[in-house]
Amino acid sequence: MTKEEAKDILSSKKVIGTPKRVALLRVLSTHKKPVSVSELLKKVQKDIELDLVTMYRNLTLLSNVGIVKELHLQKGVSLYEYNKGDHHHHFICRGCGYIEDIHDCLSLDITEKALKNTKKFSSVSDHSFELFGICNVCSK
Ligand SMILES: [Zn+2]
Ligand SMILES: [Zn+2]
Ligand SMILES: [Zn+2]
């Protein structure tokens, strides 16, 4: 993604394309898999001066407008990925942290059941869940 493309994406969500946000988004868009905050910070810092607090603030902003997806995995670890708009779920190895995308949406049954069992909600606008297991490499 070029700087111009990053700026366009940001402005389409009414977010000002500051150099820091542009750098952050460009690094995120090169990752095919969700990436941890520390890894992200290391890579963005090659491009621009950025501290952890500022990065968190910008990540929160970008995830609030839907440009970035925040995944809450085990032990309070958050991973971030660029939201290309292709709805998917993740299969995550408990052993090594390997992540595979699942492109079939798994939730229709669950959504229906959940709606039957609640009196407080009548529709679902969005959902997110991940599957955990041990990958074949780790189980050997
Ligand atoms: Zn594994
Ligand atoms: Zn993903
Ligand atoms: Zn789904």
Side-chain angles (χ1 to χ4, degrees):
M1 171 188 299
T2 65
K3 285 186 183 176
E4 289 310 313
E5 283 168 338
K7 272 186 198 164
D8 284 349
I9 290 167
L10 290 163
S11 73
S12 76
K13 301 283 183 180
K14 303 197 172 18
V15 175
I16 297 165
T18 64
K20 284 173 186 174
R21 288 173 193 154
V22 167
L24 188 57
L25 186 54
R26 289 182 74 202
V27 169
L28 266 170
S29 73
T30 64
H31 280 263
K32 290 202 167 57
K33 297 283 156 76
V35 58
S36 70
V37 168
S38 54
E39 205 181 326
L40 201 53
L41 188 65
K42 237 187 284 165
K43 294 210 167 134
V44 178
Q45 279 173 338
K46 282 186 193 153
D47 206 27
I48 199 163
E49 214 172 295
L50 185 70
D51 59 59
L52 191 62
V53 177
T54 312
M55 195 177 75
Y56 263 120
R57 208 164 41 217
N58 281 305
L59 280 171
T60 305
L61 175 83
L62 295 183
S63 90
N64 284 344
V65 297
I67 295 174
V68 165
K69 273 207 299 189
E70 185 179 353
L71 306 168
H72 300 280
L73 304 183
Q74 69 270 52
K75 299 184 199 98
V77 179
S78 287
L79 298 182
Y80 294 86
E81 72 179 349
Y82 171 53
N83 184 7
K84 286 201 298 283
D86 62 329
H87 178 84
H88 64 276
H89 298 267
H90 299 101
F91 217 136
I92 299 137
C93 175
R94 288 277 196 206
C96 64
Y98 173 77
I99 299 174
E100 192 170 296
D101 288 349
I102 307 164
H103 283 279
D104 292 318
C105 183
L106 311 159
S107 80
L108 282 175
D109 284 1
I110 295 168
T111 308
E112 257 171 48
K113 274 183 202 151
L115 284 174
K116 264 180 208 149
N117 288 315
T118 178
K119 290 192 176 69
K120 305 262 185 195
F121 294 90
S122 52
S123 70
V124 174
S125 58
D126 194 12
H127 65 261
S128 140
F129 61 80
E130 322 302 339
L131 299 176
F132 295 92
I134 299 291
C135 77
N136 291 336
V137 177
C138 288
S139 63
K140 263 178 204 149

